[in-house]
Amino acid sequence: QSGFTPTVKKPKEFENRLLRSEKGDKKLTAPKRFVQNTVSHYNYFFNANNKINEVITRAKLANKDDYDELLSFYNFSLDATAADSIQLDSISFKAQSGILLHDLRSDWADNFYLLWGASYFLQKQFDSAYNMFQFINHAFAKKESDGYYLNIGSARDGNDARSISTKENSSFTHNLFKRQPSRNDAFIWQIRNHLEQDHFTQAASLIQTLRNDPAFPERLEADLQEMQAYYFYRQGQWDSTAAHLENALPNASTKQERARWEYLIAQLYENTNHFALSGEYYAKAIAHTTDPVMDVYARLGAVRVDRTEKENTIDRNVATLVKMAGRDKYIDYRDIIYYMAAQMELERNNTEGALQLLYRSTKYSGNNNTAQRNKSFLQLATLSFEQRKYRDAKNFYDSLSILDNSISNPEELTVRKTLLSKLVSNLDIIARQDSLQRLASLPEDERKDLVKKMVKKLRRQQGLKDEGAVTMGTGKESSKTDAPSLFNPNAKGEWYFYNNNLRQKGNTDFKSRWGTRPNVDNWRRGAAVIAKLNAKPDNHTPDQPLTNGSTEGIEGTPEVTFDYLLGNIPLTPELLKVSNDSIQEAMFDNGVTYIQEFEDCINGTTTLEQFRVRFPEFNRMDEVLFNLYFCYNRNGDKVKTDPIKKTMIDEYGDSDFTAIVQTGKSNSPNLPQEEPTRLYEKIYDQFIEGNFSEAIVNKQAADSLYGKNYWTPQLLYIEAVYYIKQREDSTAKRVLGNIISQFAGKPLAIKAENLLSVLNRRAQIEEELRNMVIVMPTDDSSRVVYTPPQPDIDPAKPGLRDSARLKQPNLAIIPKENKDPLSVKPNAGIGVTKPVVQPVTDTAAKKDTAVVKPDVAVKPKPDTAVSKPVVTTKPKTDSVAVKPPINTNSFAFNAGSPHYVVIVLTKVDPIFVGEAKNAFFRYNRDLYYNKTMAAELVEIGKDNRLLLISPFKNAAEAMVYVDETRPKTATNIIPWLKGGKYFYIIIDEKNLEVLKAGKDVEAYRQFLDKNIPGKF
């Protein structure tokens, strides 16, 4: 290219030798051009281009896709190509040699520069790649006849202001002998270079310019679509990515790569709930793929997105997958298939069905798929833990391989495994000591018979011979007749080992005497026993399991005998005390673990209540009562907290735990003057009651003193809700991210993930609300027709979603009669003030304002053109229709009338009242999905707001709901709202009107306690 002279440092012996690129003064004739082009093409470009393809191919082979997750856009990573630096350096050297050793006016110079820039890009040297692609753009741009460059993208010098591309000759003869200029290809590489650095503005500008460029060649249209799809993919705009990736499918170099992109398109459509399109592309991936793993996952995806029938969809899909697992073709993928079927069961909250399928998945994980095996066991463990099946959870956690890189939180799992091991060990101690005490309570003869059977069973399991006849209490064997010798010289007949009858009889006698023993000799068996003994404590206690295997001949190790087992039964007061002490410590330890470590107040309170009855003289009963008080208070159960508090004050007045319950402070001088719990409760109350500014300042000060503590997740959550209200979304996202990272697996972390998901779509939700159209067709029915915005969006415009081909159907929302004005909320969970849409029409307004009472006569006025109503009153005696005043103490209990379940929220800011309403709405929707349950708010006085949940046919049905829901409120529904800020009651319509008039919630609560004692 004229105007550019490359600078090359030559070796000393070649300093005076001119390169061919330096000899540009002579005319480049046709023969010379042919020679230069041929040598450049086949000696340099061909080899360099093959090498760059080999580098990419090796990177693709190193890539392993996880079809259970969203696929990466490309099937190779730049980290893998950058690791092949030797080959990429060789490509750069060949490109440079091709340029310098040949005439710069040849037709292959620009192609060499493109390879050179590509080698920089694949080495992740993005700055060098940018300079090289930019150089190609300028050096090979259109020139005037005298060699001067024209202004690119400008109307000056006769150039086209709409075009920056190089116009290509697409004739057959030209394409046969020449390669198209690489300047246009450099634009595509430059776009990807920008995207890899997250320079979205520069990439979008270049994409938009090329889309509107009339000279941009048709051969690169698929490449440009690919770059646009990658642009949207990098920003998480899945529907736009899918739309453009469809157009880029011709760019796939192989059939398998096309199938991979089709699978990705199906995933993208599935993520945006376009299930029909998703199923279509899963089917295409099945038809094109050569990878059996992708085939399995694509079929699973096709089943998962099948929505052809509204009812029993999941049943049909699960049955299809189970049938698929039985086919020989998929025998190696049964673990994946059962795992995916379990996910479908979880979609409809069928946890038991999911557990069964996950267990089947672990049974068929014999194809060394450690990652899938771990996923199945981890989900089994998590679901079992959530269902409080702690023994099962412990076994499943033990089956996990913590070293697997796919496990994101191995430290947390290790801690949980340790706690579960301690819990299960305590459960074993309790069960074992209870069984020993039951044996001790049996009559002596029955007890000894059971022990003899157990001795026989254990000795056979360990490969020991029977004790024989036992003298009661002595354990000594009676005399036995020695077995006849196999080699008795006086015996007649054939040799023993040739006599089948004798061999079978001998085998039967051996098993009856010695049991079924492993095929190992004594020294191997003895070595195994010694190894096990060395791994255990020297002093054996009744709470330790007996050693498996024979212990004969090992000094200091008791043999399994009648006397040994009988001696472990607590038949004496001393042994009974030891047994009870073991149970006492194990029960107390488990109760505290349930409450403080697992936040499981249901099992914790059950265990500690049983403990109080069984061991009333326990020396740490104040701590037992404190843990019970903590759980009951957290659930807002004042019926149980008040007696416990009174007991602690009366019997354990000097205890630190009593001081904390009374004042929030401890009497211990070793603790700080201001107890952290009391301080954080004060901050919590400030947040809940709406004193946000003061609460944030106090929380920052408290966190600097005490760091992470129990109240932190709750306070972080309500702090995030406050920031959402203030429209400080970035701060709210940071706070929610802290909850998710610090308290993974906790109920609040799950709620934080949901809230963060909604917050990320805040602009979209608000835009839909702004574009909502209200249509009121008749007086007696209100119909809100929701028409989503349909902007004329060009997919090429950066930052906009390409939804042109993905129109949503109009939705009609019909409110029930006699309810509050319709509140439109497209997605519950976001803590922002929701707009209230009130349907108002002329006729509706008239109905609301012109209320005709029985004692009012309406007559038309004849003199006016428009007849107006004239109101004339009847005589005084008829018109005074005064309603009797409501007696605020006239509550009447009618158990058969329809009732509301009411959650009374005390001194709670409206933000959190709305958040509580959303939480109960989601809970009812998920758990009572086959029943329509409404939730509405009523304000009673200054401090109390009632959340009414209906319908319930009678008081008994409402109480069933309360009993099922109240234990889950503090852990699963509103874990961020502590006990004391809410409590449950039930009420019918008449009593509700009385309560509204009197506004005395406590009086109604006392009335309810008289009629349903012990419940409220």
Side-chain angles (χ1 to χ4, degrees), residues 207-225:
I207 290 172
Q208 184 71 6
T209 302
L210 294 176
R211 283 185 62 85
N212 297 325
D213 192 336
F216 189 72
E218 186 179 350
R219 69 179 180 88
L220 293 178
E221 276 297 332
D223 297 83
L224 187 58
Q225 291 286 346

mmCIF file with all atom_site columns, all heavy atoms in Angstrom, residues 207-225:
data_model
loop_
_atom_site.group_PDB
_atom_site.id
_atom_site.type_symbol
_atom_site.label_atom_id
_atom_site.label_alt_id
_atom_site.label_comp_id
_atom_site.label_asym_id
_atom_site.label_entity_id
_atom_site.label_seq_id
_atom_site.pdbx_PDB_ins_code
_atom_site.Cartn_x
_atom_site.Cartn_y
_atom_site.Cartn_z
_atom_site.occupancy
_atom_site.B_iso_or_equiv
_atom_site.pdbx_formal_charge
_atom_site.auth_seq_id
_atom_site.auth_comp_id
_atom_site.auth_asym_id
_atom_site.auth_atom_id
_atom_site.pdbx_PDB_model_num
ATOM 1   N N   . ILE A 1 207 ? -21.845 -1.510  14.830 1.00 0.00 ? 207 ILE A N   1
ATOM 2   C CA  . ILE A 1 207 ? -22.893 -2.398  14.311 1.00 0.00 ? 207 ILE A CA  1
ATOM 3   C C   . ILE A 1 207 ? -23.964 -1.592  13.585 1.00 0.00 ? 207 ILE A C   1
ATOM 4   O O   . ILE A 1 207 ? -24.378 -1.927  12.466 1.00 0.00 ? 207 ILE A O   1
ATOM 5   C CB  . ILE A 1 207 ? -23.525 -3.208  15.464 1.00 0.00 ? 207 ILE A CB  1
ATOM 6   C CG1 . ILE A 1 207 ? -22.541 -4.244  16.004 1.00 0.00 ? 207 ILE A CG1 1
ATOM 7   C CG2 . ILE A 1 207 ? -24.799 -3.913  14.998 1.00 0.00 ? 207 ILE A CG2 1
ATOM 8   C CD1 . ILE A 1 207 ? -23.010 -4.952  17.257 1.00 0.00 ? 207 ILE A CD1 1
ATOM 9   N N   . GLN A 1 208 ? -24.406 -0.511  14.229 1.00 0.00 ? 208 GLN A N   1
ATOM 10  C CA  . GLN A 1 208 ? -25.462 0.299   13.626 1.00 0.00 ? 208 GLN A CA  1
ATOM 11  C C   . GLN A 1 208 ? -25.007 0.924   12.313 1.00 0.00 ? 208 GLN A C   1
ATOM 12  O O   . GLN A 1 208 ? -25.759 0.982   11.333 1.00 0.00 ? 208 GLN A O   1
ATOM 13  C CB  . GLN A 1 208 ? -25.885 1.395   14.619 1.00 0.00 ? 208 GLN A CB  1
ATOM 14  C CG  . GLN A 1 208 ? -27.052 2.248   14.166 1.00 0.00 ? 208 GLN A CG  1
ATOM 15  C CD  . GLN A 1 208 ? -28.361 1.486   14.173 1.00 0.00 ? 208 GLN A CD  1
ATOM 16  O OE1 . GLN A 1 208 ? -28.389 0.348   14.628 1.00 0.00 ? 208 GLN A OE1 1
ATOM 17  N NE2 . GLN A 1 208 ? -29.414 2.086   13.667 1.00 0.00 ? 208 GLN A NE2 1
ATOM 18  N N   . THR A 1 209 ? -23.754 1.370   12.269 1.00 0.00 ? 209 THR A N   1
ATOM 19  C CA  . THR A 1 209 ? -23.222 1.986   11.046 1.00 0.00 ? 209 THR A CA  1
ATOM 20  C C   . THR A 1 209 ? -23.182 0.976   9.906  1.00 0.00 ? 209 THR A C   1
ATOM 21  O O   . THR A 1 209 ? -23.572 1.282   8.769  1.00 0.00 ? 209 THR A O   1
ATOM 22  C CB  . THR A 1 209 ? -21.819 2.546   11.313 1.00 0.00 ? 209 THR A CB  1
ATOM 23  O OG1 . THR A 1 209 ? -21.896 3.500   12.382 1.00 0.00 ? 209 THR A OG1 1
ATOM 24  C CG2 . THR A 1 209 ? -21.266 3.233   10.073 1.00 0.00 ? 209 THR A CG2 1
ATOM 25  N N   . LEU A 1 210 ? -22.712 -0.223  10.194 1.00 0.00 ? 210 LEU A N   1
ATOM 26  C CA  . LEU A 1 210 ? -22.606 -1.241  9.141  1.00 0.00 ? 210 LEU A CA  1
ATOM 27  C C   . LEU A 1 210 ? -23.975 -1.714  8.685  1.00 0.00 ? 210 LEU A C   1
ATOM 28  O O   . LEU A 1 210 ? -24.162 -2.049  7.507  1.00 0.00 ? 210 LEU A O   1
ATOM 29  C CB  . LEU A 1 210 ? -21.769 -2.424  9.644  1.00 0.00 ? 210 LEU A CB  1
ATOM 30  C CG  . LEU A 1 210 ? -20.296 -2.126  9.934  1.00 0.00 ? 210 LEU A CG  1
ATOM 31  C CD1 . LEU A 1 210 ? -19.600 -3.356  10.510 1.00 0.00 ? 210 LEU A CD1 1
ATOM 32  C CD2 . LEU A 1 210 ? -19.576 -1.665  8.668  1.00 0.00 ? 210 LEU A CD2 1
ATOM 33  N N   . ARG A 1 211 ? -24.963 -1.761  9.588  1.00 0.00 ? 211 ARG A N   1
ATOM 34  C CA  . ARG A 1 211 ? -26.309 -2.192  9.181  1.00 0.00 ? 211 ARG A CA  1
ATOM 35  C C   . ARG A 1 211 ? -26.938 -1.211  8.198  1.00 0.00 ? 211 ARG A C   1
ATOM 36  O O   . ARG A 1 211 ? -27.721 -1.591  7.338  1.00 0.00 ? 211 ARG A O   1
ATOM 37  C CB  . ARG A 1 211 ? -27.202 -2.344  10.413 1.00 0.00 ? 211 ARG A CB  1
ATOM 38  C CG  . ARG A 1 211 ? -26.960 -3.614  11.208 1.00 0.00 ? 211 ARG A CG  1
ATOM 39  C CD  . ARG A 1 211 ? -27.965 -3.739  12.336 1.00 0.00 ? 211 ARG A CD  1
ATOM 40  N NE  . ARG A 1 211 ? -29.317 -3.837  11.801 1.00 0.00 ? 211 ARG A NE  1
ATOM 41  C CZ  . ARG A 1 211 ? -29.897 -4.973  11.403 1.00 0.00 ? 211 ARG A CZ  1
ATOM 42  N NH1 . ARG A 1 211 ? -29.225 -6.101  11.459 1.00 0.00 ? 211 ARG A NH1 1
ATOM 43  N NH2 . ARG A 1 211 ? -31.134 -4.979  10.943 1.00 0.00 ? 211 ARG A NH2 1
ATOM 44  N N   . ASN A 1 212 ? -26.597 0.055   8.341  1.00 0.00 ? 212 ASN A N   1
ATOM 45  C CA  . ASN A 1 212 ? -27.155 1.080   7.456  1.00 0.00 ? 212 ASN A CA  1
ATOM 46  C C   . ASN A 1 212 ? -26.254 1.397   6.263  1.00 0.00 ? 212 ASN A C   1
ATOM 47  O O   . ASN A 1 212 ? -26.544 2.321   5.506  1.00 0.00 ? 212 ASN A O   1
ATOM 48  C CB  . ASN A 1 212 ? -27.414 2.369   8.248  1.00 0.00 ? 212 ASN A CB  1
ATOM 49  C CG  . ASN A 1 212 ? -28.455 2.163   9.331  1.00 0.00 ? 212 ASN A CG  1
ATOM 50  O OD1 . ASN A 1 212 ? -29.401 1.397   9.155  1.00 0.00 ? 212 ASN A OD1 1
ATOM 51  N ND2 . ASN A 1 212 ? -28.288 2.829   10.454 1.00 0.00 ? 212 ASN A ND2 1
ATOM 52  N N   . ASP A 1 213 ? -25.165 0.657   6.138  1.00 0.00 ? 213 ASP A N   1
ATOM 53  C CA  . ASP A 1 213 ? -24.190 0.915   5.076  1.00 0.00 ? 213 ASP A CA  1
ATOM 54  C C   . ASP A 1 213 ? -24.641 0.214   3.789  1.00 0.00 ? 213 ASP A C   1
ATOM 55  O O   . ASP A 1 213 ? -24.701 -1.024  3.743  1.00 0.00 ? 213 ASP A O   1
ATOM 56  C CB  . ASP A 1 213 ? -22.813 0.400   5.510  1.00 0.00 ? 213 ASP A CB  1
ATOM 57  C CG  . ASP A 1 213 ? -21.705 0.875   4.604  1.00 0.00 ? 213 ASP A CG  1
ATOM 58  O OD1 . ASP A 1 213 ? -21.986 1.196   3.429  1.00 0.00 ? 213 ASP A OD1 1
ATOM 59  O OD2 . ASP A 1 213 ? -20.551 0.930   5.066  1.00 0.00 ? 213 ASP A OD2 1
ATOM 60  N N   . PRO A 1 214 ? -24.942 0.970   2.715  1.00 0.00 ? 214 PRO A N   1
ATOM 61  C CA  . PRO A 1 214 ? -25.396 0.305   1.480  1.00 0.00 ? 214 PRO A CA  1
ATOM 62  C C   . PRO A 1 214 ? -24.306 -0.508  0.800  1.00 0.00 ? 214 PRO A C   1
ATOM 63  O O   . PRO A 1 214 ? -24.607 -1.396  0.004  1.00 0.00 ? 214 PRO A O   1
ATOM 64  C CB  . PRO A 1 214 ? -25.844 1.486   0.603  1.00 0.00 ? 214 PRO A CB  1
ATOM 65  C CG  . PRO A 1 214 ? -25.086 2.666   1.128  1.00 0.00 ? 214 PRO A CG  1
ATOM 66  C CD  . PRO A 1 214 ? -24.928 2.445   2.595  1.00 0.00 ? 214 PRO A CD  1
ATOM 67  N N   . ALA A 1 215 ? -23.033 -0.229  1.116  1.00 0.00 ? 215 ALA A N   1
ATOM 68  C CA  . ALA A 1 215 ? -21.937 -0.946  0.475  1.00 0.00 ? 215 ALA A CA  1
ATOM 69  C C   . ALA A 1 215 ? -21.483 -2.162  1.269  1.00 0.00 ? 215 ALA A C   1
ATOM 70  O O   . ALA A 1 215 ? -20.582 -2.886  0.816  1.00 0.00 ? 215 ALA A O   1
ATOM 71  C CB  . ALA A 1 215 ? -20.744 -0.003  0.265  1.00 0.00 ? 215 ALA A CB  1
ATOM 72  N N   . PHE A 1 216 ? -22.074 -2.380  2.431  1.00 0.00 ? 216 PHE A N   1
ATOM 73  C CA  . PHE A 1 216 ? -21.631 -3.521  3.229  1.00 0.00 ? 216 PHE A CA  1
ATOM 74  C C   . PHE A 1 216 ? -21.973 -4.813  2.491  1.00 0.00 ? 216 PHE A C   1
ATOM 75  O O   . PHE A 1 216 ? -23.113 -5.011  2.060  1.00 0.00 ? 216 PHE A O   1
ATOM 76  C CB  . PHE A 1 216 ? -22.307 -3.504  4.594  1.00 0.00 ? 216 PHE A CB  1
ATOM 77  C CG  . PHE A 1 216 ? -21.758 -4.518  5.546  1.00 0.00 ? 216 PHE A CG  1
ATOM 78  C CD1 . PHE A 1 216 ? -20.501 -4.358  6.117  1.00 0.00 ? 216 PHE A CD1 1
ATOM 79  C CD2 . PHE A 1 216 ? -22.485 -5.654  5.878  1.00 0.00 ? 216 PHE A CD2 1
ATOM 80  C CE1 . PHE A 1 216 ? -19.993 -5.301  7.006  1.00 0.00 ? 216 PHE A CE1 1
ATOM 81  C CE2 . PHE A 1 216 ? -21.989 -6.602  6.756  1.00 0.00 ? 216 PHE A CE2 1
ATOM 82  C CZ  . PHE A 1 216 ? -20.728 -6.419  7.317  1.00 0.00 ? 216 PHE A CZ  1
ATOM 83  N N   . PRO A 1 217 ? -21.009 -5.723  2.318  1.00 0.00 ? 217 PRO A N   1
ATOM 84  C CA  . PRO A 1 217 ? -21.223 -6.898  1.455  1.00 0.00 ? 217 PRO A CA  1
ATOM 85  C C   . PRO A 1 217 ? -22.200 -7.901  2.068  1.00 0.00 ? 217 PRO A C   1
ATOM 86  O O   . PRO A 1 217 ? -22.260 -8.092  3.277  1.00 0.00 ? 217 PRO A O   1
ATOM 87  C CB  . PRO A 1 217 ? -19.820 -7.498  1.337  1.00 0.00 ? 217 PRO A CB  1
ATOM 88  C CG  . PRO A 1 217 ? -19.097 -7.035  2.547  1.00 0.00 ? 217 PRO A CG  1
ATOM 89  C CD  . PRO A 1 217 ? -19.641 -5.670  2.866  1.00 0.00 ? 217 PRO A CD  1
ATOM 90  N N   . GLU A 1 218 ? -22.926 -8.537  1.171  1.00 0.00 ? 218 GLU A N   1
ATOM 91  C CA  . GLU A 1 218 ? -23.910 -9.525  1.599  1.00 0.00 ? 218 GLU A CA  1
ATOM 92  C C   . GLU A 1 218 ? -23.257 -10.741 2.230  1.00 0.00 ? 218 GLU A C   1
ATOM 93  O O   . GLU A 1 218 ? -23.838 -11.389 3.105  1.00 0.00 ? 218 GLU A O   1
ATOM 94  C CB  . GLU A 1 218 ? -24.759 -9.948  0.394  1.00 0.00 ? 218 GLU A CB  1
ATOM 95  C CG  . GLU A 1 218 ? -25.906 -10.865 0.741  1.00 0.00 ? 218 GLU A CG  1
ATOM 96  C CD  . GLU A 1 218 ? -26.738 -11.245 -0.461 1.00 0.00 ? 218 GLU A CD  1
ATOM 97  O OE1 . GLU A 1 218 ? -26.538 -10.629 -1.543 1.00 0.00 ? 218 GLU A OE1 1
ATOM 98  O OE2 . GLU A 1 218 ? -27.584 -12.151 -0.336 1.00 0.00 ? 218 GLU A OE2 1
ATOM 99  N N   . ARG A 1 219 ? -22.018 -11.057 1.805  1.00 0.00 ? 219 ARG A N   1
ATOM 100 C CA  . ARG A 1 219 ? -21.350 -12.257 2.327  1.00 0.00 ? 219 ARG A CA  1
ATOM 101 C C   . ARG A 1 219 ? -21.065 -12.154 3.827  1.00 0.00 ? 219 ARG A C   1
ATOM 102 O O   . ARG A 1 219 ? -20.857 -13.178 4.501  1.00 0.00 ? 219 ARG A O   1
ATOM 103 C CB  . ARG A 1 219 ? -20.034 -12.505 1.573  1.00 0.00 ? 219 ARG A CB  1
ATOM 104 C CG  . ARG A 1 219 ? -18.955 -11.468 1.853  1.00 0.00 ? 219 ARG A CG  1
ATOM 105 C CD  . ARG A 1 219 ? -17.657 -11.746 1.124  1.00 0.00 ? 219 ARG A CD  1
ATOM 106 N NE  . ARG A 1 219 ? -16.655 -10.730 1.420  1.00 0.00 ? 219 ARG A NE  1
ATOM 107 C CZ  . ARG A 1 219 ? -15.814 -10.791 2.458  1.00 0.00 ? 219 ARG A CZ  1
ATOM 108 N NH1 . ARG A 1 219 ? -15.872 -11.837 3.276  1.00 0.00 ? 219 ARG A NH1 1
ATOM 109 N NH2 . ARG A 1 219 ? -14.940 -9.837  2.683  1.00 0.00 ? 219 ARG A NH2 1
ATOM 110 N N   . LEU A 1 220 ? -21.054 -10.935 4.379  1.00 0.00 ? 220 LEU A N   1
ATOM 111 C CA  . LEU A 1 220 ? -20.757 -10.743 5.801  1.00 0.00 ? 220 LEU A CA  1
ATOM 112 C C   . LEU A 1 220 ? -22.012 -10.469 6.630  1.00 0.00 ? 220 LEU A C   1
ATOM 113 O O   . LEU A 1 220 ? -21.895 -10.135 7.815  1.00 0.00 ? 220 LEU A O   1
ATOM 114 C CB  . LEU A 1 220 ? -19.758 -9.596  5.977  1.00 0.00 ? 220 LEU A CB  1
ATOM 115 C CG  . LEU A 1 220 ? -18.344 -9.832  5.432  1.00 0.00 ? 220 LEU A CG  1
ATOM 116 C CD1 . LEU A 1 220 ? -17.487 -8.590  5.624  1.00 0.00 ? 220 LEU A CD1 1
ATOM 117 C CD2 . LEU A 1 220 ? -17.687 -11.036 6.111  1.00 0.00 ? 220 LEU A CD2 1
ATOM 118 N N   . GLU A 1 221 ? -23.185 -10.592 6.022  1.00 0.00 ? 221 GLU A N   1
ATOM 119 C CA  . GLU A 1 221 ? -24.424 -10.337 6.768  1.00 0.00 ? 221 GLU A CA  1
ATOM 120 C C   . GLU A 1 221 ? -24.572 -11.296 7.953  1.00 0.00 ? 221 GLU A C   1
ATOM 121 O O   . GLU A 1 221 ? -24.955 -10.890 9.052  1.00 0.00 ? 221 GLU A O   1
ATOM 122 C CB  . GLU A 1 221 ? -25.633 -10.457 5.844  1.00 0.00 ? 221 GLU A CB  1
ATOM 123 C CG  . GLU A 1 221 ? -25.961 -9.205  5.061  1.00 0.00 ? 221 GLU A CG  1
ATOM 124 C CD  . GLU A 1 221 ? -26.343 -8.034  5.934  1.00 0.00 ? 221 GLU A CD  1
ATOM 125 O OE1 . GLU A 1 221 ? -26.865 -8.262  7.057  1.00 0.00 ? 221 GLU A OE1 1
ATOM 126 O OE2 . GLU A 1 221 ? -26.112 -6.884  5.519  1.00 0.00 ? 221 GLU A OE2 1
ATOM 127 N N   . ALA A 1 222 ? -24.274 -12.562 7.730  1.00 0.00 ? 222 ALA A N   1
ATOM 128 C CA  . ALA A 1 222 ? -24.385 -13.537 8.831  1.00 0.00 ? 222 ALA A CA  1
ATOM 129 C C   . ALA A 1 222 ? -23.387 -13.222 9.938  1.00 0.00 ? 222 ALA A C   1
ATOM 130 O O   . ALA A 1 222 ? -23.689 -13.380 11.127 1.00 0.00 ? 222 ALA A O   1
ATOM 131 C CB  . ALA A 1 222 ? -24.176 -14.953 8.306  1.00 0.00 ? 222 ALA A CB  1
ATOM 132 N N   . ASP A 1 223 ? -22.181 -12.747 9.540  1.00 0.00 ? 223 ASP A N   1
ATOM 133 C CA  . ASP A 1 223 ? -21.183 -12.370 10.546 1.00 0.00 ? 223 ASP A CA  1
ATOM 134 C C   . ASP A 1 223 ? -21.664 -11.193 11.381 1.00 0.00 ? 223 ASP A C   1
ATOM 135 O O   . ASP A 1 223 ? -21.458 -11.149 12.611 1.00 0.00 ? 223 ASP A O   1
ATOM 136 C CB  . ASP A 1 223 ? -19.857 -12.022 9.865  1.00 0.00 ? 223 ASP A CB  1
ATOM 137 C CG  . ASP A 1 223 ? -19.243 -13.190 9.134  1.00 0.00 ? 223 ASP A CG  1
ATOM 138 O OD1 . ASP A 1 223 ? -19.652 -13.422 7.984  1.00 0.00 ? 223 ASP A OD1 1
ATOM 139 O OD2 . ASP A 1 223 ? -18.371 -13.871 9.701  1.00 0.00 ? 223 ASP A OD2 1
ATOM 140 N N   . LEU A 1 224 ? -22.293 -10.225 10.726 1.00 0.00 ? 224 LEU A N   1
ATOM 141 C CA  . LEU A 1 224 ? -22.796 -9.067  11.459 1.00 0.00 ? 224 LEU A CA  1
ATOM 142 C C   . LEU A 1 224 ? -23.936 -9.475  12.391 1.00 0.00 ? 224 LEU A C   1
ATOM 143 O O   . LEU A 1 224 ? -24.030 -8.988  13.529 1.00 0.00 ? 224 LEU A O   1
ATOM 144 C CB  . LEU A 1 224 ? -23.264 -7.995  10.471 1.00 0.00 ? 224 LEU A CB  1
ATOM 145 C CG  . LEU A 1 224 ? -23.665 -6.650  11.084 1.00 0.00 ? 224 LEU A CG  1
ATOM 146 C CD1 . LEU A 1 224 ? -22.501 -6.047  11.864 1.00 0.00 ? 224 LEU A CD1 1
ATOM 147 C CD2 . LEU A 1 224 ? -24.139 -5.687  10.003 1.00 0.00 ? 224 LEU A CD2 1
ATOM 148 N N   . GLN A 1 225 ? -24.802 -10.371 11.940 1.00 0.00 ? 225 GLN A N   1
ATOM 149 C CA  . GLN A 1 225 ? -25.871 -10.882 12.809 1.00 0.00 ? 225 GLN A CA  1
ATOM 150 C C   . GLN A 1 225 ? -25.278 -11.621 14.014 1.00 0.00 ? 225 GLN A C   1
ATOM 151 O O   . GLN A 1 225 ? -25.784 -11.513 15.139 1.00 0.00 ? 225 GLN A O   1
ATOM 152 C CB  . GLN A 1 225 ? -26.791 -11.814 12.017 1.00 0.00 ? 225 GLN A CB  1
ATOM 153 C CG  . GLN A 1 225 ? -27.647 -11.137 10.970 1.00 0.00 ? 225 GLN A CG  1
ATOM 154 C CD  . GLN A 1 225 ? -28.802 -10.362 11.571 1.00 0.00 ? 225 GLN A CD  1
ATOM 155 O OE1 . GLN A 1 225 ? -29.131 -10.527 12.750 1.00 0.00 ? 225 GLN A OE1 1
ATOM 156 N NE2 . GLN A 1 225 ? -29.411 -9.498  10.769 1.00 0.00 ? 225 GLN A NE2 1
#
